[in-house]
Structures are given as structure tokens and as C-alpha cells.
Short mmCIF file of all heavy atoms in Angstrom, two decimals:
data_model
loop_
_atom_site.label_atom_id
_atom_site.label_comp_id
_atom_site.label_asym_id
_atom_site.label_seq_id
_atom_site.Cartn_x
_atom_site.Cartn_y
_atom_site.Cartn_z
N GLN O 11 -41.62 -61.45 -14.54
CA GLN O 11 -40.25 -61.26 -14.10
C GLN O 11 -40.10 -59.81 -13.64
O GLN O 11 -40.39 -58.89 -14.40
CB GLN O 11 -39.27 -61.52 -15.26
CG GLN O 11 -39.33 -62.93 -15.80
CD GLN O 11 -38.87 -63.95 -14.79
OE1 GLN O 11 -37.90 -63.74 -14.06
NE2 GLN O 11 -39.60 -65.05 -14.70
N PRO O 12 -39.69 -59.58 -12.40
CA PRO O 12 -39.56 -58.21 -11.89
C PRO O 12 -38.62 -57.38 -12.75
O PRO O 12 -37.64 -57.89 -13.30
CB PRO O 12 -39.00 -58.40 -10.49
CG PRO O 12 -39.25 -59.81 -10.13
CD PRO O 12 -39.31 -60.58 -11.42
N LEU O 13 -38.91 -56.09 -12.83
CA LEU O 13 -38.11 -55.17 -13.62
C LEU O 13 -37.12 -54.43 -12.73
O LEU O 13 -37.42 -54.11 -11.58
CB LEU O 13 -39.02 -54.12 -14.30
CG LEU O 13 -40.16 -54.67 -15.13
CD1 LEU O 13 -41.04 -53.54 -15.60
CD2 LEU O 13 -39.62 -55.44 -16.31
N SER O 14 -35.95 -54.16 -13.28
CA SER O 14 -34.96 -53.40 -12.54
C SER O 14 -35.34 -51.91 -12.61
O SER O 14 -35.72 -51.39 -13.63
CB SER O 14 -33.58 -53.59 -13.17
OG SER O 14 -32.64 -52.75 -12.52
N ARG O 15 -35.20 -51.25 -11.49
CA ARG O 15 -35.48 -49.82 -11.46
C ARG O 15 -34.20 -48.99 -11.53
O ARG O 15 -34.20 -47.79 -11.42
CB ARG O 15 -36.28 -49.47 -10.21
CG ARG O 15 -35.60 -49.82 -8.94
CD ARG O 15 -36.42 -49.42 -7.73
NE ARG O 15 -35.63 -49.62 -6.55
CZ ARG O 15 -35.86 -50.54 -5.64
NH1 ARG O 15 -36.88 -51.34 -5.77
NH2 ARG O 15 -35.05 -50.68 -4.61
N TYR O 16 -33.08 -49.69 -11.74
CA TYR O 16 -31.79 -49.03 -11.84
C TYR O 16 -31.52 -48.63 -13.29
O TYR O 16 -32.00 -49.26 -14.21
CB TYR O 16 -30.69 -49.94 -11.30
CG TYR O 16 -30.92 -50.24 -9.83
CD1 TYR O 16 -31.53 -51.42 -9.44
CD2 TYR O 16 -30.57 -49.32 -8.86
CE1 TYR O 16 -31.77 -51.69 -8.11
CE2 TYR O 16 -30.81 -49.58 -7.52
CZ TYR O 16 -31.42 -50.77 -7.15
OH TYR O 16 -31.67 -51.02 -5.83
N PRO O 17 -30.73 -47.56 -13.48
CA PRO O 17 -30.54 -47.07 -14.85
C PRO O 17 -29.69 -48.00 -15.70
O PRO O 17 -28.81 -48.70 -15.19
CB PRO O 17 -29.79 -45.73 -14.62
CG PRO O 17 -29.11 -45.90 -13.31
CD PRO O 17 -30.01 -46.78 -12.48
N PRO O 18 -29.96 -48.01 -17.01
CA PRO O 18 -29.17 -48.85 -17.92
C PRO O 18 -27.87 -48.17 -18.30
O PRO O 18 -27.73 -46.95 -18.20
CB PRO O 18 -30.08 -48.97 -19.13
CG PRO O 18 -30.84 -47.68 -19.15
CD PRO O 18 -31.06 -47.34 -17.70
N LEU O 19 -26.92 -48.96 -18.73
CA LEU O 19 -25.70 -48.45 -19.37
C LEU O 19 -25.71 -48.96 -20.80
O LEU O 19 -25.95 -50.14 -21.04
CB LEU O 19 -24.45 -48.95 -18.65
CG LEU O 19 -24.10 -48.22 -17.37
CD1 LEU O 19 -22.89 -48.87 -16.71
CD2 LEU O 19 -23.79 -46.77 -17.64
N ILE O 20 -25.48 -48.07 -21.73
CA ILE O 20 -25.58 -48.41 -23.15
C ILE O 20 -24.21 -48.26 -23.80
O ILE O 20 -23.59 -47.21 -23.71
CB ILE O 20 -26.62 -47.50 -23.84
CG1 ILE O 20 -27.98 -47.69 -23.19
CG2 ILE O 20 -26.66 -47.76 -25.33
CD1 ILE O 20 -29.01 -46.69 -23.60
N ASN O 21 -23.76 -49.33 -24.45
CA ASN O 21 -22.51 -49.31 -25.19
C ASN O 21 -22.77 -49.88 -26.58
O ASN O 21 -23.57 -50.80 -26.74
CB ASN O 21 -21.44 -50.17 -24.51
CG ASN O 21 -20.91 -49.51 -23.25
OD1 ASN O 21 -21.18 -48.36 -22.98
ND2 ASN O 21 -20.14 -50.25 -22.49
N ASP O 22 -22.09 -49.33 -27.56
CA ASP O 22 -22.22 -49.79 -28.94
C ASP O 22 -20.96 -50.55 -29.35
O ASP O 22 -19.88 -50.29 -28.84
CB ASP O 22 -22.45 -48.62 -29.90
CG ASP O 22 -23.76 -47.91 -29.65
OD1 ASP O 22 -24.65 -48.50 -29.00
OD2 ASP O 22 -23.93 -46.77 -30.12
N ILE O 23 -21.13 -51.45 -30.29
CA ILE O 23 -20.01 -52.20 -30.84
C ILE O 23 -20.21 -52.31 -32.34
O ILE O 23 -21.33 -52.53 -32.80
CB ILE O 23 -19.89 -53.60 -30.19
CG1 ILE O 23 -18.68 -54.35 -30.72
CG2 ILE O 23 -21.16 -54.41 -30.38
CD1 ILE O 23 -18.40 -55.65 -29.96
N SER O 24 -19.15 -52.10 -33.09
CA SER O 24 -19.28 -52.19 -34.54
C SER O 24 -18.07 -52.92 -35.11
O SER O 24 -16.97 -52.83 -34.58
CB SER O 24 -19.43 -50.77 -35.08
OG SER O 24 -18.46 -50.38 -35.91
N PHE O 25 -18.32 -53.69 -36.16
CA PHE O 25 -17.25 -54.50 -36.76
C PHE O 25 -17.59 -54.83 -38.20
O PHE O 25 -18.75 -54.78 -38.61
CB PHE O 25 -17.01 -55.78 -35.96
CG PHE O 25 -18.26 -56.53 -35.57
CD1 PHE O 25 -18.93 -57.33 -36.48
CD2 PHE O 25 -18.76 -56.42 -34.29
CE1 PHE O 25 -20.07 -58.02 -36.11
CE2 PHE O 25 -19.91 -57.11 -33.92
CZ PHE O 25 -20.55 -57.91 -34.83
N TRP O 26 -16.53 -55.15 -38.96
CA TRP O 26 -16.69 -55.63 -40.33
C TRP O 26 -16.98 -57.12 -40.27
O TRP O 26 -16.33 -57.85 -39.54
CB TRP O 26 -15.43 -55.38 -41.15
CG TRP O 26 -15.08 -53.94 -41.34
CD1 TRP O 26 -14.09 -53.25 -40.73
CD2 TRP O 26 -15.74 -53.01 -42.19
NE1 TRP O 26 -14.08 -51.95 -41.14
CE2 TRP O 26 -15.09 -51.76 -42.05
CE3 TRP O 26 -16.82 -53.09 -43.07
CZ2 TRP O 26 -15.48 -50.63 -42.75
CZ3 TRP O 26 -17.21 -51.96 -43.75
CH2 TRP O 26 -16.53 -50.74 -43.60
N LEU O 27 -17.93 -57.56 -41.06
CA LEU O 27 -18.30 -58.97 -41.09
C LEU O 27 -17.27 -59.77 -41.89
O LEU O 27 -16.66 -59.25 -42.82
CB LEU O 27 -19.67 -59.15 -41.72
CG LEU O 27 -20.82 -58.41 -41.07
CD1 LEU O 27 -22.13 -58.75 -41.76
CD2 LEU O 27 -20.92 -58.73 -39.60
N PRO O 28 -17.06 -61.03 -41.53
CA PRO O 28 -16.15 -61.86 -42.31
C PRO O 28 -16.76 -62.18 -43.67
O PRO O 28 -17.97 -62.11 -43.85
CB PRO O 28 -16.00 -63.14 -41.46
CG PRO O 28 -17.23 -63.17 -40.62
CD PRO O 28 -17.65 -61.74 -40.40
N SER O 29 -15.92 -62.55 -44.61
CA SER O 29 -16.42 -62.82 -45.96
C SER O 29 -17.26 -64.09 -46.00
O SER O 29 -18.17 -64.21 -46.80
CB SER O 29 -15.25 -62.92 -46.95
OG SER O 29 -14.34 -63.90 -46.50
N GLU O 30 -16.96 -65.06 -45.13
CA GLU O 30 -17.78 -66.26 -45.09
C GLU O 30 -19.08 -65.98 -44.34
O GLU O 30 -19.34 -64.86 -43.93
CB GLU O 30 -17.02 -67.45 -44.49
CG GLU O 30 -16.44 -67.25 -43.13
CD GLU O 30 -15.03 -66.68 -43.12
OE1 GLU O 30 -14.45 -66.35 -44.17
OE2 GLU O 30 -14.51 -66.53 -42.02
N THR O 31 -19.87 -66.99 -44.16
CA THR O 31 -21.19 -66.80 -43.57
C THR O 31 -21.10 -66.29 -42.14
O THR O 31 -20.25 -66.72 -41.35
CB THR O 31 -21.98 -68.13 -43.58
OG1 THR O 31 -21.27 -69.09 -42.82
CG2 THR O 31 -22.22 -68.62 -44.99
N TYR O 32 -22.00 -65.38 -41.84
CA TYR O 32 -22.08 -64.77 -40.50
C TYR O 32 -23.55 -64.78 -40.10
O TYR O 32 -24.41 -64.45 -40.90
CB TYR O 32 -21.55 -63.33 -40.54
CG TYR O 32 -21.90 -62.53 -39.31
CD1 TYR O 32 -21.14 -62.64 -38.15
CD2 TYR O 32 -23.00 -61.69 -39.30
CE1 TYR O 32 -21.47 -61.91 -37.02
CE2 TYR O 32 -23.33 -60.96 -38.17
CZ TYR O 32 -22.57 -61.08 -37.04
OH TYR O 32 -22.89 -60.37 -35.92
N SER O 33 -23.82 -65.13 -38.87
CA SER O 33 -25.20 -65.14 -38.38
C SER O 33 -25.32 -64.17 -37.20
O SER O 33 -24.52 -64.24 -36.26
CB SER O 33 -25.59 -66.55 -37.94
OG SER O 33 -26.82 -66.53 -37.27
N GLN O 34 -26.31 -63.31 -37.26
CA GLN O 34 -26.54 -62.38 -36.15
C GLN O 34 -26.82 -63.15 -34.87
O GLN O 34 -26.43 -62.71 -33.78
CB GLN O 34 -27.72 -61.48 -36.46
CG GLN O 34 -27.47 -60.45 -37.53
CD GLN O 34 -28.68 -59.58 -37.74
OE1 GLN O 34 -29.52 -59.40 -36.87
NE2 GLN O 34 -28.79 -59.01 -38.93
N ASN O 35 -27.50 -64.29 -34.98
CA ASN O 35 -27.83 -65.08 -33.80
C ASN O 35 -26.57 -65.57 -33.08
O ASN O 35 -26.57 -65.68 -31.85
CB ASN O 35 -28.72 -66.26 -34.16
CG ASN O 35 -30.11 -65.81 -34.52
OD1 ASN O 35 -30.58 -64.77 -34.08
ND2 ASN O 35 -30.78 -66.62 -35.33
N ASP O 36 -25.51 -65.83 -33.82
CA ASP O 36 -24.25 -66.23 -33.18
C ASP O 36 -23.71 -65.09 -32.32
O ASP O 36 -23.19 -65.32 -31.22
CB ASP O 36 -23.20 -66.64 -34.22
CG ASP O 36 -23.55 -67.94 -34.92
OD1 ASP O 36 -24.37 -68.70 -34.39
OD2 ASP O 36 -22.99 -68.17 -36.02
N PHE O 37 -23.82 -63.86 -32.83
CA PHE O 37 -23.35 -62.71 -32.05
C PHE O 37 -24.23 -62.52 -30.82
O PHE O 37 -23.73 -62.28 -29.72
CB PHE O 37 -23.34 -61.44 -32.90
CG PHE O 37 -22.88 -60.23 -32.13
CD1 PHE O 37 -21.56 -60.12 -31.73
CD2 PHE O 37 -23.77 -59.24 -31.78
CE1 PHE O 37 -21.14 -59.02 -31.00
CE2 PHE O 37 -23.36 -58.14 -31.05
CZ PHE O 37 -22.03 -58.03 -30.65
N TYR O 38 -25.55 -62.62 -30.98
CA TYR O 38 -26.46 -62.49 -29.83
C TYR O 38 -26.14 -63.53 -28.76
O TYR O 38 -26.10 -63.22 -27.57
CB TYR O 38 -27.92 -62.63 -30.27
CG TYR O 38 -28.42 -61.54 -31.19
CD1 TYR O 38 -29.31 -61.81 -32.20
CD2 TYR O 38 -28.00 -60.22 -31.05
CE1 TYR O 38 -29.79 -60.83 -33.05
CE2 TYR O 38 -28.45 -59.22 -31.89
CZ TYR O 38 -29.35 -59.53 -32.90
OH TYR O 38 -29.81 -58.54 -33.72
N ASP O 39 -25.91 -64.77 -29.17
CA ASP O 39 -25.56 -65.83 -28.23
C ASP O 39 -24.24 -65.53 -27.51
O ASP O 39 -24.12 -65.75 -26.30
CB ASP O 39 -25.45 -67.18 -28.94
CG ASP O 39 -26.79 -67.73 -29.38
OD1 ASP O 39 -27.83 -67.29 -28.85
OD2 ASP O 39 -26.81 -68.64 -30.25
N LEU O 40 -23.27 -65.05 -28.26
CA LEU O 40 -21.97 -64.71 -27.68
C LEU O 40 -22.12 -63.64 -26.61
O LEU O 40 -21.58 -63.75 -25.51
CB LEU O 40 -21.02 -64.25 -28.78
CG LEU O 40 -19.63 -63.86 -28.31
CD1 LEU O 40 -18.60 -64.75 -29.00
CD2 LEU O 40 -19.36 -62.42 -28.65
N VAL O 41 -22.89 -62.59 -26.92
CA VAL O 41 -23.10 -61.49 -25.98
C VAL O 41 -23.79 -62.00 -24.71
O VAL O 41 -23.38 -61.69 -23.59
CB VAL O 41 -23.92 -60.36 -26.63
CG1 VAL O 41 -24.35 -59.32 -25.58
CG2 VAL O 41 -23.12 -59.69 -27.73
N ARG O 42 -24.83 -62.79 -24.88
CA ARG O 42 -25.57 -63.30 -23.71
C ARG O 42 -24.74 -64.30 -22.90
O ARG O 42 -24.88 -64.37 -21.68
CB ARG O 42 -26.88 -63.93 -24.15
CG ARG O 42 -27.77 -62.92 -24.84
CD ARG O 42 -29.17 -62.96 -24.32
NE ARG O 42 -30.02 -62.03 -25.05
CZ ARG O 42 -30.37 -60.85 -24.58
NH1 ARG O 42 -29.96 -60.45 -23.41
NH2 ARG O 42 -31.15 -60.06 -25.29
N THR O 43 -23.88 -65.06 -23.55
CA THR O 43 -23.02 -66.00 -22.84
C THR O 43 -22.02 -65.24 -21.96
O THR O 43 -21.80 -65.62 -20.81
CB THR O 43 -22.26 -66.90 -23.83
OG1 THR O 43 -23.22 -67.64 -24.59
CG2 THR O 43 -21.34 -67.87 -23.11
N ILE O 44 -21.43 -64.19 -22.49
CA ILE O 44 -20.42 -63.44 -21.74
C ILE O 44 -21.07 -62.52 -20.71
O ILE O 44 -20.64 -62.46 -19.57
CB ILE O 44 -19.53 -62.62 -22.70
CG1 ILE O 44 -18.72 -63.59 -23.56
CG2 ILE O 44 -18.61 -61.69 -21.93
CD1 ILE O 44 -17.98 -62.94 -24.68
N GLY O 45 -22.12 -61.80 -21.10
CA GLY O 45 -22.74 -60.81 -20.21
C GLY O 45 -23.75 -61.38 -19.25
O GLY O 45 -24.05 -60.76 -18.22
N GLY O 46 -24.33 -62.52 -19.57
CA GLY O 46 -25.30 -63.15 -18.68
C GLY O 46 -26.52 -62.29 -18.41
O GLY O 46 -27.07 -61.66 -19.31
N ASP O 47 -26.92 -62.24 -17.15
CA ASP O 47 -28.13 -61.51 -16.76
C ASP O 47 -27.96 -60.00 -16.80
O ASP O 47 -28.94 -59.27 -16.65
CB ASP O 47 -28.57 -61.93 -15.35
CG ASP O 47 -29.10 -63.35 -15.32
OD1 ASP O 47 -29.48 -63.86 -16.39
OD2 ASP O 47 -29.13 -63.94 -14.22
N LEU O 48 -26.75 -59.51 -16.99
CA LEU O 48 -26.54 -58.06 -17.06
C LEU O 48 -26.96 -57.50 -18.42
O LEU O 48 -27.14 -56.31 -18.57
CB LEU O 48 -25.08 -57.71 -16.80
CG LEU O 48 -24.55 -58.05 -15.41
CD1 LEU O 48 -23.10 -57.62 -15.29
CD2 LEU O 48 -25.40 -57.40 -14.33
N ILE O 49 -27.13 -58.36 -19.41
CA ILE O 49 -27.53 -57.93 -20.74
C ILE O 49 -29.04 -57.84 -20.78
O ILE O 49 -29.75 -58.82 -20.61
CB ILE O 49 -27.05 -58.91 -21.84
CG1 ILE O 49 -25.55 -59.13 -21.76
CG2 ILE O 49 -27.48 -58.42 -23.23
CD1 ILE O 49 -24.72 -57.91 -22.01
N GLU O 50 -29.54 -56.64 -20.99
CA GLU O 50 -30.99 -56.45 -21.10
C GLU O 50 -31.45 -56.57 -22.54
O GLU O 50 -32.49 -57.16 -22.83
CB GLU O 50 -31.39 -55.09 -20.54
CG GLU O 50 -32.87 -54.84 -20.59
CD GLU O 50 -33.25 -53.55 -19.92
OE1 GLU O 50 -33.13 -53.46 -18.68
OE2 GLU O 50 -33.64 -52.61 -20.64
N LYS O 51 -30.67 -56.00 -23.45
CA LYS O 51 -31.10 -55.99 -24.84
C LYS O 51 -29.90 -55.83 -25.76
O LYS O 51 -28.94 -55.15 -25.45
CB LYS O 51 -32.06 -54.81 -25.05
CG LYS O 51 -32.67 -54.74 -26.41
CD LYS O 51 -33.72 -53.66 -26.65
CE LYS O 51 -33.92 -52.60 -25.65
NZ LYS O 51 -34.87 -51.57 -26.09
N VAL O 52 -29.97 -56.49 -26.93
CA VAL O 52 -28.98 -56.34 -27.99
C VAL O 52 -29.75 -56.06 -29.26
O VAL O 52 -30.63 -56.81 -29.64
CB VAL O 52 -28.13 -57.62 -28.17
CG1 VAL O 52 -27.07 -57.41 -29.25
CG2 VAL O 52 -27.50 -58.05 -26.87
N VAL O 53 -29.42 -54.93 -29.92
CA VAL O 53 -30.17 -54.50 -31.10
C VAL O 53 -29.21 -54.12 -32.21
O VAL O 53 -28.22 -53.43 -31.97
CB VAL O 53 -31.05 -53.26 -30.76
CG1 VAL O 53 -31.79 -52.78 -31.97
CG2 VAL O 53 -32.01 -53.56 -29.64
#
């Protein structure tokens, strides 16, 4: 897959987790669903 030679933009997001069960994979899926191909990495 060809690599982009354009610079990245980095933004952070932080939040308190709900008391019930929370899965990091749900957040990763949410980010990729909204951001699509513009999302290079979520860490």
C-alpha cells in the first residue's frame, strides 16, 4: 500500500471511562468509522 508523503496531524483525546464494561476496540472502531482513511494510527 503506497505511503503518504504528506505530514501527519496529531490530536489527543482523553475521557473518563464508564463504570460498566468498556472495550478499547469499540473506541478504535468508532474512530475508524468516523475518520475513515484519514486515520493513520490510534494509540
